[in-house]
Structures are given as C-alpha cells and as structure tokens.
C-alpha cells in the first residue's frame, strides 16, 4: 500500500478550484479572441535540442528531462578505470543527462511557438497571431507561490514589427485586468531595452555587462536602495549615475504621473546626459497607437519604469510586466523579441507577445479574499430525489426527459434514502433544486420542485418545472 | 542552428486542428455537465510509487519517467568490480530507472483520480462525480493512429455501486456520438466480467488463466477465427467450447439484434450449460435503468459482445467499448472497477467510469472526410484595412470602439498595403468582413463594410456596421 502523495510543487484542481481557475482563463481567452488571436496547442514534450541553450545556464537546470525509454543504459558510459567515477571523468549530472535523456517538458510556450512557426512557415499567414493556454514545467525549488507546474496564457504576433501590436497588448492587459476586477490593485510597467542599454553604457562604460545590469535591476523591488547601489558599484557601475537613475525612477513612478509626462521626462534627462532616446520614441509611438486615444478611467495604470529589465535574454524592444502595487510577484509580462526563429533557420521574423500566469492570478485573487461569486459551479441544476415506492428506473426515465428534451442538467440520487440526506447531498454539491417524485407525484404526473435557495416548494408539470429551473439559472 | 522537430509520436494542434479538436471536446464536456459531472484537473506528473504496479509489466514499460533534478547521479550505483557492468549486476534499464527517477507523466486519468479521492476523501461528497479532460502520455512505439501524447476525456462516479450509473454512461455514449454525428458508424459494445469469468472456467477449467483468456479475446477482431481458435487451444482451452462461443457470438452480433433479446439468448445458453448468469442479470437491470425506456431511433446501437474483454485488470463489472463498425480501433471505453483506492488505504469505494479518446475521434472523423463545417474558427469577425492617408492610430482607435463598445472581434492590418493584399489576408484567415476606412470615410465618419462571402459592400455608420457584423455571425 502506498501513501498517496502529490509531486512536490504541484497541486490538484478539484471541482471548486478548477472552476475558479477556468473563470480566470476564460476571461483571458475571450479578450484574446476579441483581438483576433487564434488558439493553438503544442505537445508537452519537446526535443532537448529545441529547448537547450535558450534559457541560459540557470534555466537549463530547471528543465524537466524525460528519461529515455527502452534500454537507455546502453548509452551511458561506464566510469573510466583510472578515475573510477563520472565526476572524475569530468561528467557532472548535467553532462550525464545527455546520455539519459533526449526529450524534456516544455519550459515556456514561446520556444514551442518558435519551433512551430519554423516548421510551418510555408503555410502560415503572417502576421501570425496565436494564443496558447497550457501548463509549463520548471524544476524550481517548490515554495509558496512557486509551482513546478503552472498554466501560462500566451498571445504572440509573429512576423510584423508594427508597434500597433505593443499598443494592443497594453489594451489587452487593461481589459483582462478589468474583467478580473484587478485594475486598482496592479501597475502595468513598461520599459524598452534600448533605454536600458543606453543607461548601462552610461553608468557602466563600454565594458559593462548588460546582463549583469539587468539582473541587478530585477532586484530593485527586493533590496533596499542602498544595498542595491552597493551591488551596482561592486559590479563596476558608477555610484553617482546609479543614484541619478534612482531619482529619475522616483520621479517617473510618482502616483498620478501620466505616461506621456513620463516619456517627456525621460527624453529631457537623456538629452541632458547626451544619451540616445529612441527607446522613448518607440514607446511614445506605441502610446499614440493604443492607450492615448482611450479613456483610461478606472483602468489599470500604465507606468514607465526604467528599472524593469525582465531577465529573459531574448527581448529586444518594449518590455512589459504587470505587478501588484504591493509588490508581490508578477501576474503577467511580455515584450518584443527579434529573430526568435533564427536558430531554427528562419531568420527575420520579429515577434511580440505577452503571457498571463493563471496560477499566479489565482493565488493572488485568493490572497485578496476574492469570493469568485460569479463562478457558479456547473453542478447539476436539479437533483431528483429517490423515494420508497418509485423505482429508480422511473426516475432515470424522468431525468432523461429533463436532460434531453429541456436541457436541464440533472442528477438522480442512486438509492432510496431519507429525503433529508438527499437534500444535504444537493446542498453540499451546490445543486439549486431538488425534485421530489414520490408515488403520489408519479400518479399525478407532476413533480414537487423545491428551491433550496429560498425553500419555495411547488407541484408542477415536468415542463413547468423545467422552465422554472431554467429561468432561475 | 538546430533543425526544428517534434518528439516522435506527438503533434502540434495549429489553429485549424485545435478548433476541430476543441469542438469534439466541447461536445463531450457539455454532455458530461448535462449529467451533473463536475470538472477537475490533476498535475501531469505523479510520483512513480502512485503509478507503478498498476498497469502490469507491459504498462510499466510505457510510463514516461522524469529524470531526477540536481545531482541525481549520486544515487546511481557504480557497476561492481567483479561484473564490470550493470547488466552483470542484474540491473536492467528498468531497474536502473529506480535510481534515476521518482516522478513520471500520468499514464491515464483513473489512477490520478484514485489518488485524489484517497487524499481528499474527508471533504468530498459521495457519490463523487467528476469529469477530467487532459492529455496522458505513453511511451508506445509511434505508429499511424497511435500517439505518445493524447487527450482522454474521462467521467467517473466513485462511491456508489448503483447500476444506475452504468445505465447513464450508455446514454452519455449515445448522446455524445449523436452530437458528433457518429451514431451510424459505431457500435457500443457491452460485456460483464462475471460472464467472462464463467466462460473462462467453462472452456478452460479450474487452472485456466483469466488474464490469458481476456488477452486472447482482445485479439478477436484482429485474427481470423481459425487462428484465434488455435491460440485458445494452445493455451489449454477446449476447442469445442471455444467453437460454441463463436456461434453464440455470431448470434448475439446479428444486425438488428436487440439488447434485450441478446440478454435472453445468453441466459438460455448459460442455463443449458449450467453456468451462472448473474453478469447477464446485472446487464439486464442496467438496461432497464437506462436505454430500455428511451427511443433508440437513430441512436448508436448497443450490443452485447461476449468477446469484449478490455485488457485493464482493474475492471470488475460491466465493461464498455465504442468501436467503428469497420473495426478500426476504439473511440471510447470504460467499465466498473471495485476498490481502486484500496491501495491508497481507502478500501470499499466502488467506481464506474468511461473515457473518450479525443485524438482517436479526431482522426476517425478526418478519415471519414468530416468537414467540421460547424466549427467556425474564432478568427476576428472584421479586418480593418490600412490605407494611405489614414494613420494607423486612427484605425486602432476605431478598432477599440468596435471591440469594447460592440463586442466585435477586430484585427487591424498593421501597415498600409494594397487593398487586394489585405483582403487576401482576411480570406486566408477566414475573417468574414473587411472594413475600409480611407480618408473619405474618415471625413464622413463612416466605414465601408465589405462582406467577403457575398461581395456586398455598403457605407455604414460604425454602429450600423457593428450590428451588421454581429447579425451575420
């Protein structure tokens, strides 16, 4: 007998949890479709050659590898006799994995998209706009709010460099956040890689590492400012410039600061310092294409945040992130990347995309005490109680009529039991109506319909009962 | 540069394929919900201790194992010096896998259900009725129609032994097959393990192996009868009895044979041979609870098939299978199993369930030349063409109004191009309307709406255009 257990870092979505997450996902899906994105799916497993060298060394370690099938040990070298161990032969676990595994679970939905587009380039219509809502897997150390399996909800446009799409993604962020009731809790943070690159060069000189610069900025919401400054200095960035950037940051992120104003502030500062601001020009154009022309009343605020870096190395233009104002993790993100399909032999396809983390949003809504009041479980609408004196098969027949002639989702209680017990079953399962069909009702051809919400009870024809139920849903 | 490739035995579902498979899945989902089943999901990965020893030796080999993360090689023993190899130490690949892997991809949805129910027994309401639609993975040799990733669509009732549920599953089979337009192409085959056990004892004696008996019957639709007979005889079954069973089979499967008649034929033959027929009684009761009381006109025929065995060892009562009349593979199956949660320390929970293979159904429909005419892609309803003299941002603003004020899913062509090219884009993406908003329209505040299906073209206000589009969908 084995004790049943989940894999650490994963969780079940029982009916109640599933329906809540589905509500989140359906909101995202419907907005994606409103903007003309088409759904697709790719397999959970990808060839390791497709995934590796994409996510950096740290990312590579987080890929779940599939053990080869069959006589896979034939591929594994014995340790050489002089060293007596694999480590002695210079083969760490990651190196040994090459002999044991050639497939892996997808780590995100962007690389599978790049593979898909590369394989089907000849038959797709560009710009290709697809959305994809599927789980991904990462071998992270499990901790609160960090899972090893989680749903990503991605939308991407491949094959156009029009800034129209960046603008549309900002509107999509706002619309989804509105539908989820999150507009007042979050910020939509925007930055541009070109701005970051200028800042890196300015503060760190020609030899400064851009990836270090980005990694340090990613810590901005985790470290006190003085500590962060120290780290910048340790990595060769000049303290006075970093301090100046901190002041700019503060100015840009002032509450009620408009995006237009923020852009002009950046332009001004960059001009003064002799920096190129074409990143800011691109964001200004994006703004005109999208949010500028709509009322932003009650919508999630869009802010220019020079410290937004987003670790992933493939971004090359605008970058986005949606974070709660209280700073706990990110709920969505995205950006423009050029040439993602280049490594598969299809250069020149530019892309831009975003991703909502359905599990992050789910946890965030729960942490806020969201009641998910709108998400009525798709439980049956009616429970037919089973009473002495009426055979279950007569109930089965009645249920059939209710389901198929009237479309009323119906359950039949499978055994005769005290009515009280059957009503409790309905209450626990959130079934709103109980139908009593005892010997008397059977004789008269009626059903006694009990509304469990208000206790109302009426004797009705089958048809009238069906209509009563359907009206109330 | 790596050549992009799929893992063998898996496939992408691009927009068109995805929408077709979704149509299949949504038909199944809606019928499950009509019968009061609640949705749930479990993680892709399960602990190997949960999965192993469940699917038999053959099944165990088909489980995809996840390579442990971190320094997993620390767990792997070196070959002993006297043998110099793992094989020499009696460690085959399957044995070595224990040191390399503790997690695996789920192989079906039934074992995860058993684990879930065992872990949450205290909080669930029984009978627990859930449906679950997720992919499963099997390390099968890829071949036509056999995939290593495929969607199963399961519904199960746990915690009741009422035959009402067997009856409801037959109705669910019929309803789903109706909605998929498959009623005339398939048979719903039914048998009962108790009947099989009696036949095995009768034809093979006390020492006969029941699992061999089932395995041989599973070949009935693949082998010529004489060849099958030989195999039965080779395994110690008596030729005359097997021959008799063949004659019974023929009688039962006569076209137009009613299920009631088939039951009475079985009863009669069993009585003559001194066999117990309580399996037939159970099926007779099931029949009265369900299909007997409904019109079966135009519905998929339900037949009693004594050769239906279903390999999985955990079935204990009624068993079902839906197969095309032309005999190619099965599209759905199921049955009753007792005590599935016993190995997790929760004995006494009986269950019954079915599963549709969404990928099998998808392939079958395609092979029949199904056009999926009902499955309009959720492409945008309108493409706003982008013409010289009107800035894209004015189009973006118009698109915003159409999407958010009128709910019209809209795409904007991202760059000015010849109108012909833009219309071609709409045609290829199956977008039914093109909206022309050139300098003239912009001045008059109208839109020229072109219906690509019939070529009709009208100058309309934004509101009128939105209504025209919504009416036509």
């Amino acid at each position: 007998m084995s004790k049943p257990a989940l894999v650490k870092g994963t969780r079940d979505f029982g009916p109640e949890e599933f329906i809540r997450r589905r509500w989140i996902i359906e909101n995202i899906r419907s907005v994606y479709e409103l903007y003309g994105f088409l759904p697709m799916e790719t397999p959970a497993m990808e060839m390791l050659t497709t995934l590796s060298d994409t996510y950096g060394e740290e990312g590579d370690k987080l890929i779940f590898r599939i053990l080869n099938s069959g006589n896979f040990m034939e591929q594994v070298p014995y340790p050489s006799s002089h060293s007596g161990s694999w480590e002695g032969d210079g083969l760490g676990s990651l190196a040994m994995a090459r002999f044991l595994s050639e497939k892996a679970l997808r780590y995100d939905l962007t690389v599978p998209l790049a593979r898909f587009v590369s394989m089907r380039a000849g038959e797709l219509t560009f710009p290709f706009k697809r959305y994809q809502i599927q789980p991904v897997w990462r071998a992270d150390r499990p901790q609160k709010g960090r899972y090893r399996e989680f749903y990503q909800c991605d939308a991407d446009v491949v094959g156009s460099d029009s800034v129209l799409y960046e603008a549309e993604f900002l509107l999509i962020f706002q619309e989804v956040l509105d539908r989820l009731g999150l507009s007042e809790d979050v910020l939509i943070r925007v930055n541009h890689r070109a701005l970051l690159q200028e800042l890196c060069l300015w503060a760190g000189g020609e030899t400064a590492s851009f990836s270090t610069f980005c990694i340090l900025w990613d810590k901005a919401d985790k470290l006190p400012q003085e500590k962060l400054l120290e780290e910048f200095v340790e990595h060769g960035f000049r303290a006075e410039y970093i301090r100046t950037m901190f002041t700019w940051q503060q100015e840009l992120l002032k509450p009620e600061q408009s995006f237009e104003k923020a852009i002009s502030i950046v332009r001004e500062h960059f001009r003064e310092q002799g920096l190129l601001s074409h990143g800011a020009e691109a964001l200004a154009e994006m703004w005109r294409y999208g949010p500028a022309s709509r009322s932003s009343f009650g919508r999630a605020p869009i802010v220019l945040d020079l410290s937004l870096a987003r670790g992933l190395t493939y971004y090359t233009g605008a970058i986005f992130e949606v974070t709660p104002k209280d700073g706990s993790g990110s709920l969505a993100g995205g950006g423009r990347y050029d040439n993602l399909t280049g490594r598969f032999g299809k250069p020149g396809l530019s892309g831009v995309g975003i991703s909502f983390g359905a599990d992050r949003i789910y946890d965030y809504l729960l942490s806020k005490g969201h009641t998910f009041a709108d998400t009525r479980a798709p439980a049956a609408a009616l429970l037919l109680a089973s009473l002495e004196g009426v055979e279950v098969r007569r109930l089965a027949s009645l249920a059939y009529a209710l389901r198929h002639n009237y479309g009323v989702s119906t359950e039949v209680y499978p055994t005769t039991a005290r009515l009280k017990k059957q009503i409790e079953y309905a209450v626990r399962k959130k079934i709103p109506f109980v139908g009593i069909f005892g010997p008397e009702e059977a004789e008269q051809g009626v059903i006694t319909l009990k509304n469990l919400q208000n206790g109302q009870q009426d004797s009705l024809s089958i048809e009238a009962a069906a209509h009563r139920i359907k009206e109330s849903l």
Side-chain angles (χ1 to χ4, degrees), chain A:
Chain A
M1 190 181 93
S2 61
K3 196 171 145 48
L6 283 158
V7 168
K8 257 185 292 174
T10 70
R11 49 184 174 171
D12 289 320
F13 281 75
E16 197 170 0
E17 298 113 313
F18 176 85
I19 289 156
R20 290 169 171 197
R21 189 172 60 182
R22 183 164 76 176
W23 175 76
I24 295 168
I25 287 174
E26 289 307 314
N27 272 308
I28 297 168
R29 179 194 302 283
S30 60
V31 177
Y32 284 164
E33 294 194 355
L34 192 59
Y35 278 76
F37 289 85
L38 291 172
M40 60 168 269
E41 285 190 3
T42 62
M45 290 188 284
E46 292 283 352
M47 297 305 289
L48 263 173
T49 48
T50 300
L51 299 188
S52 47
D53 306 328
T54 310
Y55 307 110
E57 204 181 315
E58 280 310 299
D60 254 19
K61 285 187 194 155
L62 301 184
I63 291 173
F64 276 115
R65 290 166 166 76
I66 310 280
L67 191 59
N68 291 339
S69 306
N71 286 325
F72 61 87
M73 288 302 288
E74 280 173 8
Q75 305 300 316
V76 180
Y78 290 105
S80 65
S81 54
H82 68 272
S83 78
S85 76
W86 293 291
E87 297 269 339
D89 293 343
L91 292 170
S93 287
L94 215 52
M96 289 301 283
R98 276 186 293 135
F99 302 108
L100 292 163
S101 167
E102 59 178 23
K103 298 179 287 294
L105 294 179
R106 65 174 166 252
Y107 179 88
D108 66 13
L109 302 177
T110 310
V111 170
L113 169 66
R115 178 195 51 70
F116 174 86
V117 168
S118 303
M119 290 174 71
R120 298 216 192 170
E123 64 186 78
L124 296 177
T125 304
F126 292 100
F128 178 61
K129 296 170 71 176
R130 83 85 176 81
Y131 75 86
Q132 188 170 351
I133 298 176
Q134 289 191 283
V136 302
W137 295 270
R138 297 187 186 173
D140 248 321
R141 189 196 306 271
Q143 49 181 281
K144 195 172 170 302
R146 180 169 294 174
Y147 301 99
R148 292 163 120 186
E149 167 177 286
F150 51 96
Y151 267 81
Q152 289 196 331
C153 311
D154 281 27
D156 288 83
V157 181
V158 181
S160 166
D161 53 13
S162 171
V163 79
L164 167 74
Y165 295 116
E166 276 91 332
E168 289 194 345
F169 280 127
L170 290 181
L171 300 175
I172 289 174
F173 277 140
Q174 286 190 322
E175 181 66 18
V176 169
L177 291 164
D178 250 19
R179 294 188 185 193
L180 297 176
L182 284 173
S183 295
E184 296 185 6
D185 303 296
V186 300
L187 292 178
I188 301 172
R189 297 155 67 206
V190 177
N191 198 5
H192 196 287
R193 282 270 173 158
L195 293 177
L196 276 171
Q197 272 152 356
E198 281 294 298
L199 291 172
C200 175
L201 201 64
W202 175 64
E206 298 278 344
T207 57
S209 150
F210 183 56
S211 67
T212 304
F213 188 73
C214 291
I215 290 167
L216 290 174
W217 271 134
D218 273 341
K219 296 182 178 178
D221 48 355
K222 288 166 208 100
L223 288 183
Q225 215 168 66
E226 278 310 302
K227 187 80 196 75
L228 184 63
L229 178 66
E230 263 174 46
E231 293 213 15
F232 271 111
V233 172
E234 268 169 37
H235 285 88
F237 293 93
R238 277 165 289 184
E240 52 186 301
Y241 290 7
I242 300 296
R243 258 191 241 282
T244 308
M245 284 164 57
F246 287 162
T247 3
W248 294 354
Q249 262 298 85
Q250 242 171 346
E251 202 181 348
L252 294 173
L253 295 179
K254 268 197 302 205
E256 312 303 321
Q257 183 68 280
S258 80
F259 195 82
E260 282 107 326
K261 186 72 202 302
I263 295 258
S264 65
I265 291 169
V266 168
R267 264 200 205 108
E268 185 74 6
H269 289 319
F270 270 48
R271 199 179 47 75
E272 281 166 9
Q273 302 294 335
L275 302 173
L276 298 173
S277 64
H278 62 264
E281 303 315 323
L283 294 182
E285 198 191 352
M286 168 193 83
W287 189 258
R288 283 194 305 271
Y289 271 38
S293 56
R294 6 242 73 93
S295 149
S296 62
F297 183 74
R299 296 249 148 168
I302 298 172
V303 299
L304 177 55
D305 181 347
L306 287 179
S307 80
L308 176 66
R310 298 207 38 90
L312 287 170
T313 48
Y314 54 67
Y315 290 120
T316 52
I319 44 182
F320 315 120
E321 194 161 284
V322 177
T323 41
K325 285 179 185 157
D326 59 19
S328 50
S330 92
L331 306 179
R336 178 169 289 278
Y337 44 84
D338 288 324
N339 205 23
L340 191 71
T341 56
R343 53 188 289 259
F344 297 118
K346 299 276 165 206
L349 283 178
S350 179
V352 55
I354 61 171
S355 179
F356 286 91
D359 287 82
R360 287 278 185 84
I361 295 171
Y362 174 90
D363 284 354
Y364 183 70
L365 287 171
L366 279 187
S367 76
K368 283 187 52 195
H370 198 286
T371 58
F372 293 90
D374 294 346
T375 61
R376 203 186 80 81
L382 174 69
L383 175 73
L384 283 179
S386 189
L387 300 172
E388 289 290 348
V390 173
E391 284 182 280
V392 175
R393 69 167 185 264
R394 286 209 55 184
L395 292 180
S397 178
L398 179 57
Y400 187 84
L402 284 159
R403 289 169 182 143
H404 296 275
N405 302 345
Y406 302 104
V408 174
S409 64
T410 304
E411 267 199 61
V412 177
Y413 199 83
T415 51
T416 55
R418 281 181 310 124
L419 184 57
K420 186 154 171 276
K421 189 181 165 191
Q422 299 186 51
I423 290 175
E424 276 168 15
Y425 174 85
V427 169
R428 278 201 305 273
K429 294 194 77 171
K430 301 190 177 143
I431 298 172
F433 288 93
V434 170
I436 298 161
F437 188 73
E440 224 170 282
E441 283 92 352
E443 209 182 299
Q444 296 170 34
V446 297
I447 182 175
T448 301
L449 189 69
K450 192 179 174 71
N451 180 330
L452 295 183
Q453 264 122 24
N454 59 19
Q456 197 189 335
Q457 187 165 315
D458 295 291
S459 177
L460 299 167
S461 73
I462 309 307
E463 193 181 351
H467 288 144
R468 174 79 61 90
I469 293 166
K470 297 201 83 173
E471 269 165 22
S472 86
L473 295 182

